[in-house]
Amino acid sequence: MRKPFDIKRYPGFFPITCLCLFLLYTPLIVVMVYSFNDSNSITNWGGMSLRWYEEVFYGVESQKFKKAAFNSLSIAICAAITATTLAVCAAMAMLRTGVFRGQTLSFALINLPLMVPEIVTAVATLVFFSAIGFKTGYASILIAHIVFCIPFAYLPIAARMQSVDATYEQAAQDLYATRFEAFRLVLLPLILPGVISGFLLAFIISLDDFIITNFVKGAGIETLPTAIFGSVKQGIKPSIMAISTLLLLLSVVFVTLSYFVGRKGQQTP
Amino acid sequence: MAQIGSSARSSVKGGTFAGLGPLLMLPSWVVIGFFLVLPVILMLVYSFLTKEFRGGVIWEFSVNAYDQFFFNRGLFGDEAPTIEWTYINIFWRSIWQAGLATVLCLFIGFPTAWFIATRSGHSKSMWLFLITIPYWVNLLIRTISLKFLIRDTGPMNTWLMSWGIIDQPIHIINSNLAVQLGLFYSYLPFMVLPIYASVERYDFSLSEAAADLYSTRMETLRQIIIPVVKPGIIAGCILVFVPSLGAFLAPDLLGGSKTFMIGSLIEEQFKGNAGNWPFGAAVSMILLSLVLIALMFYARSQSSARKATRAAD
């Protein structure tokens, strides 16, 4: 049935939506396509080739990028695991322990990393590390990453925990489960989709970060974004486009994974 | 976000893990408190200290950093103070750039959010997913991609010229426009998502009632829809404006040296030997207070919106 006057429809909104997606995707697709360009100049198209990918893995700078990739991935995994653990505890404190003093403040604290501008966090952390004499390097990057990953891990976990009724754990406790058993055998499996998507988001956020890492990393250690930034300062090279494409695909895979895990969780409450 | 903390308290008295609250909260308190709250407080302290040449501070109270920001006392500091415009102009330019990017995001973001929210079931989540993907792609890579695309000799200009639409490359890179475009491109998904969430909850019978009373589409949009979804619009604007204000990558990679913004000003004070830590700390504190004002404005608008809906019920 077609209504004479569809109140939900606004002419022009559909083209704008298409324009929005066009603007968001064009630069990414262009870089992906040009990373397969078989020409030394980044401007002219010289046919398809995988030579820049070969350069990334076996070229002159491959050692540097491999090291940076290792740092990035290991920091992202450690930061995401720690942040997710902290976020699960924090979500339980906010949602499953009744009211305690400082709860509102705690909520603000968890979200604080989202509110302070990144550049301020970056310089503040740098200044703080230098004031307490903490040597900048791998550990300082890891700590800074854990801090800003917490809210990203917290949000999906808390959202999930909120949708799970507390009566499940209470039933477990009525049947003589200890609190820890009620958590491990009942609550944790129920909130697992939220935990997984929280972990994946924290992982991507850590992998993506440039500004904070750039400040707290100190000399002699690079992560992928800082290494890429360093190279780009001398001009965009085709091999950078190849690395960007790889990193881009990694992000897309992780987000897609997180999306489907989250959706699956919604279907089976 | 605020609802996540509060509404669950009512669900079960005490909760399953009653009494463990502070203990479970402790790790997050320690990590964020020690590595974020303390550093920010330290910055506040540093902004009131004396600078040491080659970076660092001397522990001596001084308001020089703020004085340098607002006043010009001549080369030797002995002239009558006049207002120093250099830094105020940088702030003003940043606010202007971030504001324009926000408006641009709103004009594209609102129709997109509306369109997505009025889709049904499966296609709705598909559209939403398409909008979110670019947000999760590395910001550095997105900025580089944009730079690559819009360079004078980049694909955009090459195509436009080969299609005969233009005969000279459009010069965008290293201009204010490039920075606005970069900010717009970086934070567009932030605008769409909160507006989408608001439109989702919008009661379409309001539009029907308006249509029954001979209101045109545009009148309905202006007088009913926009006031109702306003909290979402404000949330979106804040989410775009705040990170744009302190942005570093877009001005640095797309703007070149002419488009100095707050982020670059702060960065300059802490990198290399020319740095002035107390001044950098003072600039950071001024930026932080601007952001907090924006967030307070946001919180107030959200709570008044909540009151309004409660009154309507």
Side-chain angles (χ1 to χ4, degrees):
Chain A
M1 189 187 78
R2 196 182 144 77
K3 282 185 199 164
F5 182 64
D6 185 356
I7 45 147
K8 290 185 180 179
R9 218 187 120 256
Y10 275 81
F13 278 20
F14 176 62
I16 293 177
T17 307
C18 294
L19 177 72
C20 180
L21 287 175
F22 176 77
L23 291 172
L24 285 174
Y25 281 93
T26 311
L28 300 179
I29 291 168
V30 166
V31 159
M32 276 169 99
V33 170
Y34 271 77
S35 71
F36 294 104
N37 186 1
D38 185 32
S39 156
N40 276 321
S41 117
I42 55 167
T43 316
N44 301 321
W45 181 253
M48 286 283 285
S49 127
L50 286 173
R51 59 184 284 202
W52 302 117
Y53 289 89
E54 209 180 304
E55 168 134 354
V56 168
F57 286 105
Y58 307 106
V60 206
E61 284 187 311
S62 64
Q63 279 310 315
K64 182 181 123 192
F65 282 118
K66 271 180 198 160
K67 238 179 141 177
F70 175 78
N71 288 336
S72 269
L73 290 173
S74 60
I75 287 172
I77 290 171
C78 296
I81 290 175
T82 317
T84 310
T85 313
L86 294 181
V88 170
C89 294
M92 278 168 56
M94 296 303 290
L95 300 169
R96 289 293 201 265
T97 61
V99 187
F100 62 91
R101 271 183 71 188
Q103 203 166 23
T104 318
L105 195 65
S106 301
F107 183 72
L109 189 87
I110 289 172
N111 286 296
L112 192 67
L114 296 178
M115 292 183 232
V116 180
E118 254 195 307
I119 186 89
V120 176
T121 309
V123 290
T125 313
L126 170 74
V127 163
F128 179 71
F129 281 140
S130 98
I132 60 171
F134 194 97
K135 207 171 161 298
T136 52
Y138 193 90
S140 65
I141 302 177
L142 183 58
I143 290 171
H145 279 218
I146 291 171
V147 171
F148 67 73
C149 282
I150 291 175
F152 287 96
Y154 175 81
L155 290 174
I157 293 171
R160 176 72 192 173
M161 202 183 283
Q162 204 171 16
S163 71
V164 174
D165 205 339
T167 45
Y168 290 109
E169 304 127 61
Q170 282 163 347
Q173 285 184 321
D174 287 346
L175 297 168
Y176 299 103
T178 62
R179 279 171 160 182
F180 183 69
E181 281 167 343
F183 167 71
R184 196 173 58 91
L185 300 171
V186 180
L187 184 60
L188 189 61
L190 285 171
I191 61 166
L192 200 60
V195 175
I196 293 172
S197 66
F199 170 83
L200 293 175
L201 295 189
F203 179 83
I204 298 174
I205 287 291
S206 163
L207 202 62
D208 274 4
D209 180 73
F210 165 73
I211 299 175
I212 295 174
T213 313
N214 190 35
F215 274 91
V216 302
K217 77 184 173 61
I221 183 167
E222 299 278 1
T223 64
L224 266 184
T226 63
I228 292 175
F229 185 78
S231 290
V232 167
K233 275 282 156 184
Q234 297 141 27
I236 302 175
K237 279 178 286 186
S239 54
I240 292 300
M241 289 200 266
I243 295 183
S244 300
T245 306
L246 292 173
L247 208 52
L248 198 155
L249 290 178
L250 189 69
S251 300
V252 172
V253 166
F254 269 78
V255 176
T256 314
L257 225 62
S258 158
Y259 172 78
F260 281 109
V261 168
R263 249 178 37 142
K264 207 173 159 225
Q266 276 168 13
Q267 283 158 2
T268 51
Chain B
M1 279 190 281
Q3 293 95 322
I4 292 175
S6 53
S7 67
R9 279 175 221 155
S10 55
S11 61
V12 182
K13 206 184 86 197
T16 324
F17 303 95
L20 290 178
L23 188 70
L24 287 167
M25 209 60 224
L26 191 68
S28 300
W29 268 100
V30 170
V31 171
I32 299 179
F34 199 71
F35 293 107
L36 185 63
V37 178
L38 219 55
V40 170
I41 293 173
L42 189 71
M43 285 288 269
L44 182 66
V45 173
Y46 269 30
S47 72
F48 288 105
L49 295 180
T50 310
K51 83 161 177 175
E52 185 171 31
F53 293 95
R54 294 152 139 259
V57 288
I58 301 169
W59 283 84
E60 222 170 81
F61 177 82
S62 141
V63 289
N64 271 343
Y66 292 94
D67 191 82
Q68 184 188 348
F69 188 92
F70 291 108
F71 299 111
N72 179 3
R73 292 174 191 276
L75 197 56
F76 302 103
D78 51 0
E79 291 167 31
T82 51
I83 293 190
E84 167 68 70
W85 288 107
T86 320
Y87 306 115
I88 297 174
N89 277 340
I90 291 174
F91 264 73
W92 176 239
R93 183 161 58 226
S94 304
I95 293 170
W96 176 246
Q97 299 269 44
L100 274 181
T102 309
V103 171
L104 210 59
C105 283
L106 183 60
F107 274 104
I108 300 281
F110 181 85
T112 306
W114 177 273
F115 178 80
I116 295 174
T118 51
R119 297 303 95 194
S120 55
H122 196 65
S123 92
K124 185 195 287 189
S125 51
M126 211 55 230
W127 280 101
L128 202 60
F129 183 54
L130 281 176
I131 291 286
T132 23
I133 282 188
Y135 166 64
W136 295 109
V137 172
N138 196 316
L139 182 60
L140 175 67
I141 288 175
R142 283 194 292 152
T143 314
I144 295 172
S145 310
L146 190 63
K147 181 175 182 166
F148 174 71
L149 182 68
I150 65 173
R151 280 175 323 140
D152 290 354
T153 54
M156 187 186 74
N157 277 314
T158 319
W159 293 334
L160 287 177
M161 285 200 310
S162 69
W163 294 333
I165 299 172
I166 51 171
D167 25 88
Q168 284 212 323
I170 312 173
H171 183 74
I172 301 180
I173 204 85
N174 293 346
S175 71
N176 286 330
L177 181 65
V179 178
Q180 278 144 27
L181 214 60
L183 294 175
F184 161 77
Y185 178 58
S186 305
Y187 303 117
L188 181 58
F190 284 180
M191 183 63 87
V192 177
L193 298 176
I195 298 182
Y196 162 82
S198 264
V199 175
E200 265 265 87
R201 287 193 302 263
Y202 174 71
D203 183 359
F204 286 99
S205 57
L206 290 175
S207 283
E208 260 165 46
D212 287 345
L213 297 167
Y214 299 103
S215 151
T216 64
R217 275 206 181 89
M218 275 303 151
E219 281 167 355
T220 310
L221 181 68
R222 212 176 48 237
Q223 293 178 6
I224 295 170
I225 297 171
I226 289 180
V228 171
V229 301
K230 209 168 99 192
I233 294 178
I234 293 177
C237 289
I238 295 281
L239 284 179
V240 174
F241 185 76
V242 166
S244 296
L245 201 58
F248 172 73
L249 280 175
D252 193 74
L253 287 173
L254 299 167
S257 53
K258 273 184 294 180
T259 55
F260 218 61
M261 280 177 62
I262 305 175
S264 325
L265 180 65
I266 295 176
E267 195 242 2
E268 207 177 48
Q269 308 306 322
F270 291 94
K271 282 257 151 158
N273 284 335
N276 180 342
W277 283 27
F279 182 65
V283 177
S284 305
M285 285 302 119
I286 296 168
L287 171 63
L288 190 59
S289 21
L290 280 182
V291 168
L292 289 182
I293 290 169
L295 289 175
M296 263 157 62
F297 174 71
Y298 165 70
R300 265 186 59 185
S301 76
Q302 298 291 316
S303 71
S304 68
R306 222 170 291 137
K307 256 178 237 151
T309 37
R310 222 174 293 146
D313 291 341

